[in-house]
Amino acid sequence: LKKNVNEIEPDLLSLIKKASQNQYHYEFYNSKSDGKDYILVAVHDPKLNWIIVGKIRKSEVFEPLNTLIYETVAIALAVVALMVLLIIYISKILKSRLGLLRFNLKKFSEYFEKKSGTPGLKRPRNLDEIGSASKILCDISDEITKGVENDRQAIESVHLALNRVVNGDFSSR
């Protein structure tokens, strides 16, 4: 070489010495000649008693890493978005199913409190855990309604029989 190291890049010699003595043998620096960031690697070879120097633009080294980071962030955001959509979908389903169960419990309660003449329950379309509970409630309501109707008919029959007996009709049916 016919040039001094500092003529190639000002303060390059001090950076080379610093990098060669560093544990990892590298230093970051900004070139004053072109304004770009570089990584300088300097290793001392004891046999030749030379310092072997390598210089590469920082952007070339970090470009694959930056690409990997951007892709990972994009995938993570997509996964988070899908999770949010899934949570919204599941909550909508649960709200609907729990709403049906709440409606049926309310109608069942109103029927027992004699606020209505019929239970008016809605049967579930899906028989998951909540739908099964709602179906059981509907089945119980149907059985109770049948029992109440049978009891009403029995009371009506007894009433008719008592009326006949009161009117002097002692014939049996």
Side-chain angles (χ1 to χ4, degrees):
L1 289 175
K2 296 187 179 188
K3 283 189 173 185
N4 187 336
V5 173
N6 280 334
E7 291 174 6
I8 297 172
E9 184 79 42
D11 298 325
L12 190 60
L13 183 59
S14 64
L15 285 169
I16 291 171
K17 287 180 181 178
K18 191 174 178 184
S20 67
Q21 294 168 356
N22 185 336
Q23 177 183 356
Y24 301 108
H25 303 289
Y26 73 90
E27 284 293 325
F28 294 103
Y29 80 98
N30 184 290
S31 174
K32 293 177 181 164
S33 61
D34 63 4
K36 295 181 181 174
D37 291 326
Y38 288 92
I39 299 173
L40 180 78
V41 178
V43 179
H44 181 263
D45 185 351
K47 284 185 181 180
L48 297 174
N49 197 23
W50 282 19
I51 296 177
I52 301 168
V53 178
K55 172 177 130 174
I56 188 167
R57 283 202 348 241
K58 187 177 172 184
S59 61
E60 288 181 42
V61 174
F62 285 102
E63 185 177 340
L65 179 63
N66 290 338
T67 302
L68 181 65
I69 289 170
Y70 295 140
E71 288 172 355
T72 304
V73 167
I75 290 170
L77 290 175
V79 167
V80 167
L82 285 174
M83 299 265 303
V84 166
L85 291 174
L86 184 64
I87 288 169
I88 290 170
Y89 176 71
I90 290 172
S91 69
K92 184 178 178 183
I93 288 173
L94 284 175
K95 186 176 179 183
S96 169
R97 305 257 169 85
L98 288 173
L100 178 62
L101 183 60
R102 184 177 58 239
F103 173 82
N104 283 345
L105 284 171
K106 182 180 177 193
K107 290 294 186 180
F108 192 69
S109 172
E110 288 174 357
Y111 177 66
F112 268 117
E113 294 171 357
K114 300 196 189 250
K115 292 181 181 176
S116 68
T118 59
L121 303 180
K122 292 182 182 177
R123 292 225 169 245
R125 288 181 283 164
N126 300 314
L127 294 180
D128 56 2
E129 289 80 5
I130 299 170
S132 295
S134 191
K135 180 185 178 297
I136 290 169
L137 185 63
C138 290
D139 293 344
I140 291 170
S141 175
D142 291 345
E143 291 298 318
I144 290 172
T145 304
K146 285 177 190 175
V148 167
E149 182 61 29
N150 288 341
D151 292 346
R152 188 191 61 74
Q153 288 175 355
I155 290 170
E156 192 174 298
S157 294
V158 169
H159 184 53
L160 286 174
L162 284 174
N163 281 340
R164 274 191 235 125
V165 169
V166 169
N167 292 331
D169 184 6
F170 294 108
S171 64
S172 63
R173 284 196 183 199

